[in-house]
Amino acid sequence: MKVLVVGGGGREHALVWKIAQSPKVSQIFCAPGNAGIAKLAQCLPIGAEDIVALADFAQREGIDLTVVGPEAPLCAGIVDEFQRRGLRIFGPTKSAAEIEGSKVFCRQLLAKWNIPSPKFATFDDPNEAKAYIRQQGAPIVVKADGLAAGKGSIVCATLDEAFRAVDRIMVEREFGEAGKRVVVEEFLEGREASVMVFTDGRTVKPMLPSRDHKRLLDNDQGPNTGGMGAYCPVPDIDALLYDEIVETIMKPTIAALAAEGRPYKGVLYGGLMLTKEGPKVLEFNCRFGDPETQAVLPLLDADLVDICEAVIDERLHEVDVRWKDGACICVVMASAGYPGAYEKGKVITGIEEAEGEEGVIVFHAGTAMKDGQLVTSGGRVLGVTAIGRDFAEATEKVYKAVSKIHFDGAHYRRDIRPKSVA
C-alpha cells in the first residue's frame, strides 16, 4: 500500500521510520519532509497546511493511508476534506481537534464533564484578565487561546510577569490570532508527564507514558521551547497511577467529545501534572507529541499501519498494541539562538558515526540538503534517540551519539533522563 505522511519535523521522521517497517507498505510519500525523511520516503514540495493540494495528490496517486503529524492541518480540517473525497486518513476531524485548537473550548469541556483540571477563567479583554490575575495572585499561568507552536503557555512567577504575558499575547499579538482570547489558570505543582492514547472514538489503547523537557536549559531553566528531549517510559508512573490516568482523564475526555457530537479518532495526547491530589490536565493535543513520539515509537512492538487502519475502521479493539521492555531517550540538538532567532545553513557532520552505535536512531527535524551537504534549516535540528535495556544504558548510548554529531552553535540539554539516573 501507499502511505502519505503530512509534516516535516522530527515527529514525522519517527512516523515515517515506523511506517517503513510495515510489510504492508510499498511506498511512502512525505509532504514536505526533510533531508532525513528523504532517505525513507519521497518528499513532496507541498506544505503541511495546503490541504487541497495534499488531497489532490492523495487522490491522483491512489494513496491508501494518510497520517497527519502537525496540529495546524488537523485544526484546519484536513481530515474532513479527505473524508469528503473518500480518502482514508488517520486523525481527528476539525471539530474534535478543537480540543487543541482552542484552550477555552478545552477548559470548558473538562469543567462541564468534571475531568480533573486546574481552576481557570477566560478573557477577551486584557484589562479584565489583569484584574483577575491581581485578585488571584502569583504564581499563575497565562495561555493564548489558539495554536502557538507549543509556546503560547506562559508560567508566571510574579504578578508583573503575568501582566507582561497578557500584553505579549493580547496587546502585542506575539502569537497572532491565537491571542484574541486568553485562559488564566491556577498554577499546579507536581511532576509533568505526557500520556498519548490511540482511540477509534470508543476503544482506547494507551501508549507508554513519556516525559518531555520543555525548558531550553538543564535543570528546567531558561525559556519554554517546543521540547528539548523526552524519555519513555516514566519510572514514577506505576501501573496503578497509569490506570488512574487512563480511567479518570483519557477515557472520560473521549466519551465527553462523543457526547458533544465531536467523536474523536486518532491520537489524543494529554499533557498532565501529577499533583498531590492526583493527575490533572495541563493541556490536550490532537496528535502525536514532538519530541515524545521519537521516544515512544521505538518501543512500539506492533505495526503502526495496522493500528491506524483499525482506528479509521473503528475496530481498534481487535488490535494487540504491544510494547517492548527497556528504555528510550531522545535528546534534541538545536540551533544557537533557539527558541528565538537563529541562523540556518550550518553544515552537520557525524550522523553516520552516531547511528553506528547499536540502538541509536537520529531523527531529523530541521535539516535540508544544500550543495550536496546536510545543513541546518530549523530551530530544533535533530532528535538523537537511543534504546537501552534500562535508563542507565540508554543515557550512556544517547550522549555518546550526541558527542559524535557537530554543527556550528549546536545546543542540547545534558539532563534528559529520569532524575533517579546519575
Side-chain angles (χ1 to χ4, degrees):
M1 58 191 287
K2 293 180 178 180
V3 179
L4 169 64
V5 174
V6 176
R11 164 186 50 213
E12 288 75 34
H13 191 178
L15 288 168
V16 167
W17 172 81
K18 190 65 185 172
I19 288 164
Q21 295 166 24
S22 172
K24 292 181 166 183
V25 174
S26 57
Q27 194 172 11
I28 307 173
F29 298 90
C30 190
N34 62 41
I37 291 171
K39 292 185 176 179
L40 296 168
Q42 184 180 328
C43 294
L44 307 170
I46 306 174
E49 294 172 53
D50 193 344
I51 290 170
V52 171
L54 289 165
D56 286 347
F57 174 82
Q59 222 162 12
R60 192 170 62 245
E61 192 61 41
I63 296 294
D64 300 293
L65 170 67
T66 298
V67 178
V68 185
E71 61 276 13
L74 291 167
C75 291
I78 187 171
V79 170
D80 309 66
E81 177 63 19
F82 271 58
Q83 287 178 347
R84 190 180 65 75
R85 299 192 192 200
L87 296 165
R88 289 171 68 76
I89 184 166
F90 176 85
T93 59
K94 182 177 182 176
S95 68
E98 198 171 353
I99 196 155
E100 177 170 4
S102 169
K103 292 183 178 69
V104 172
F105 167 75
C106 177
R107 283 290 171 238
Q108 289 171 344
L109 179 84
L110 301 184
K112 178 178 175 180
W113 293 90
N114 297 312
I115 295 163
S117 48
K119 183 178 147 191
F120 74 98
T122 66
F123 301 93
D124 52 20
D125 180 294
N127 294 323
E128 288 176 15
K130 289 178 184 178
Y132 176 79
I133 289 165
R134 193 174 286 112
Q135 185 189 346
Q136 295 300 312
I140 201 159
V141 183
V142 182
K143 295 181 175 180
D145 174 39
L147 297 178
K151 302 183 188 97
S153 176
I154 304 170
V155 178
C156 308
T158 65
L159 287 178
D160 282 346
E161 281 180 29
F163 298 150
R164 176 80 192 107
V166 170
D167 285 340
R168 283 173 61 194
I169 295 168
M170 301 191 81
V171 180
E172 296 160 23
R173 288 294 175 91
E174 192 173 308
F175 308 107
E177 284 298 291
K180 279 202 292 195
R181 294 188 294 180
V182 293
V183 180
V184 180
E185 287 179 9
E186 165 194 9
F187 172 77
L188 296 180
E189 287 194 62
R191 305 176 314 282
E192 284 193 47
S194 303
V195 170
M196 296 188 285
V197 300
F198 295 109
T199 181
D200 60 6
R202 290 194 292 267
T203 301
V204 174
K205 297 271 175 123
M207 300 187 213
L208 292 176
S210 57
R211 180 164 282 145
D212 179 21
H213 294 65
K214 282 274 184 214
R215 300 283 187 159
L216 180 69
L217 306 173
D218 287 7
N219 302 314
D220 296 323
Q221 301 296 306
N224 261 348
T225 69
M228 291 302 296
Y231 62 78
C232 174
V234 180
D236 49 282
I237 298 182
D238 60 18
L240 199 65
L241 177 55
Y242 202 56
D243 193 49
E244 182 187 348
I245 289 166
V246 172
E247 295 299 328
T248 67
I249 291 175
M250 305 308 289
K251 285 183 178 178
T253 301
I254 289 154
L257 285 162
E260 297 280 342
R262 302 168 185 250
Y264 193 101
K265 292 163 71 168
V267 169
L268 182 65
Y269 160 131
L272 311 176
M273 185 67 83
L274 310 177
T275 75
K276 286 176 188 168
E277 296 88 48
K280 294 186 181 183
V281 178
L282 290 173
E283 65 176 1
F284 273 117
N285 294 326
C286 62
R287 35 72 189 181
F288 286 97
D290 186 351
E292 292 94 337
T293 301
Q294 293 89 299
V296 173
L297 281 189
L299 295 176
L300 177 62
D301 194 19
D303 188 324
L304 182 59
V305 172
D306 283 347
I307 297 169
C308 292
E309 293 210 290
V311 164
I312 292 167
D313 296 332
E314 296 178 16
R315 50 176 183 80
L316 185 57
H317 61 282
E318 295 175 7
V319 178
D320 186 12
V321 180
R322 300 175 309 279
W323 298 92
K324 298 172 187 172
D325 293 330
C328 189
I329 298 175
C330 171
V331 174
V332 170
M333 298 183 75
S335 297
Y338 175 79
Y342 54 84
E343 291 181 17
K344 300 178 182 179
K346 306 293 184 187
V347 175
I348 305 166
T349 60
I351 289 179
E352 280 183 20
E353 290 84 346
E355 290 193 315
E357 297 286 326
E358 190 195 350
V360 171
I361 318 134
V362 179
F363 293 120
H364 293 231
T367 66
M369 293 301 292
K370 187 178 177 187
D371 302 328
Q373 289 186 303
L374 182 69
V375 299
T376 65
S377 67
R380 293 188 293 175
V381 178
L382 301 168
V384 184
T385 304
I387 305 166
R389 284 168 304 205
D390 53 28
F391 278 112
E393 184 177 270
T395 300
E396 188 182 336
K397 281 185 178 182
V398 79
Y399 282 105
K400 188 176 177 187
V402 166
S403 73
K404 296 182 179 210
I405 299 171
H406 301 279
F407 57 89
D408 241 14
H411 167 76
Y412 60 91
R413 281 182 57 162
R414 290 162 172 80
D415 63 347
I416 309 293
R417 58 185 172 275
K419 287 197 166 29
S420 56
V421 179

